[in-house]
Amino acid sequence: MGTLTFAQMKTRVAADGVTETEAGQLINQRYDEGVTESLWLEKEITLGTTTANTSEYSMPETDLVQIEYAYIGTVPYDRVGLDEMKSLQAGRAALSDTTRGAIAPAFSSTGTPKFEIYPTPSTTGDTITGVVADSPAVLTETDVAVTPSFFDQCLIDGARALVFDEEDERGSDRERLEARFDRGVARLRERKHKRIGRGPVQMKVKGVHF
């Protein structure tokens, strides 16, 4: 958890010449960006139920950032990229662990979020439970961030970067602060991976492994 309250962070950002209300809006903007980009928060939801011989399904919530992994019954489905999913479906690749499946976030032709699963279900009515990345709640006065304490300063730096216009004399300050924020998000992402302990999905490529 963070150590600085939202009010304390606002005061530091407001010192650059914006109101505390404006400072608060900028902090919450960077907070949402940092948490979602790093996939720091996640929640479990029902993505839907299987339909026999159907591999594509609509996402139940359009504001979800990314599916982390899923379960159909007790069988785990690991996240893969859409290119990998197409290779699996076409038979150009195979999962190394045949006791698991794969799930890939995608979009329909109209831009609506959906997901695809492999192997294609053979039964109808099985619950698809997803663990998905989630956005943080908006911070208010006495709140502290759900992120580690090191990210407090990253939020302040990120908010301050938005205060400075790229075209004014403080453009170099903006670049420096933005770089600090980006490094903080990268560090947060690394911390998340260590906390969860999930590695990349191992796949076998046709012509190389089989």
Side-chain angles (χ1 to χ4, degrees):
M1 299 290 287
T3 54
L4 294 177
T5 65
F6 181 59
Q8 290 172 320
M9 288 191 283
K10 282 197 304 179
T11 299
R12 298 190 185 189
V13 175
D16 284 316
V18 296
T19 67
E20 291 218 349
T21 297
E22 292 170 329
Q25 292 171 341
L26 296 177
I27 291 168
N28 270 311
Q29 178 181 332
R30 299 329 292 262
Y31 184 46
D32 186 78
E33 290 174 12
V35 171
T36 55
E37 287 178 18
S38 66
L39 308 178
W40 184 256
L41 291 180
E42 59 186 25
K43 64 180 178 180
E44 187 175 288
I45 65 167
T46 298
L47 295 173
T49 56
T50 61
T51 300
N53 304 315
T54 300
S55 62
E56 298 184 11
Y57 299 85
S58 297
M59 286 286 282
E61 299 180 41
T62 58
D63 62 341
L64 295 175
V65 179
Q66 188 171 10
I67 299 172
E68 290 279 87
Y69 53 96
Y71 288 90
I72 298 179
T74 59
V75 178
Y77 281 65
D78 297 302
R79 186 184 72 240
V80 299
L82 190 57
D83 287 345
E84 294 171 307
M85 176 61 70
K86 296 306 180 185
S87 293
L88 289 168
Q89 293 170 337
R92 296 190 299 272
L95 295 173
S96 295
D97 186 348
T98 57
T99 66
R100 307 175 76 90
I103 184 168
F107 291 92
S108 69
S109 58
T110 60
T112 302
K114 67 174 185 177
F115 62 92
E116 300 185 20
I117 54 179
Y118 174 88
T120 301
S122 59
T123 59
T124 295
D126 295 328
T127 300
I128 308 171
T129 302
V131 177
V132 299
D134 197 14
S135 296
V138 172
L139 295 171
T140 57
E141 292 303 294
T142 59
D143 291 340
V144 295
V146 296
T147 45
S149 57
F150 79 82
F151 200 63
D152 288 350
Q153 186 59 50
C154 300
L155 289 174
I156 293 169
D157 291 338
R160 291 182 64 211
L162 297 180
V163 173
F164 301 154
D165 191 296
E166 290 178 324
E167 298 180 359
D168 70 17
E169 67 278 7
R170 296 183 295 183
S172 60
D173 288 334
R174 176 191 172 99
E175 293 176 2
R176 174 175 53 82
L177 292 167
E178 189 69 23
R180 287 182 182 175
F181 175 72
D182 290 341
R183 287 195 297 270
V185 174
R187 183 180 173 188
L188 197 62
R189 188 180 300 115
E190 291 174 1
R191 182 79 67 88
K192 163 66 182 299
H193 289 166
K194 290 180 181 178
R195 183 181 68 176
I196 298 300
R198 298 187 62 84
V201 177
Q202 298 298 312
M203 298 178 64
K204 296 184 291 186
V205 180
K206 188 174 183 179
V208 177
H209 300 106
F210 67 97

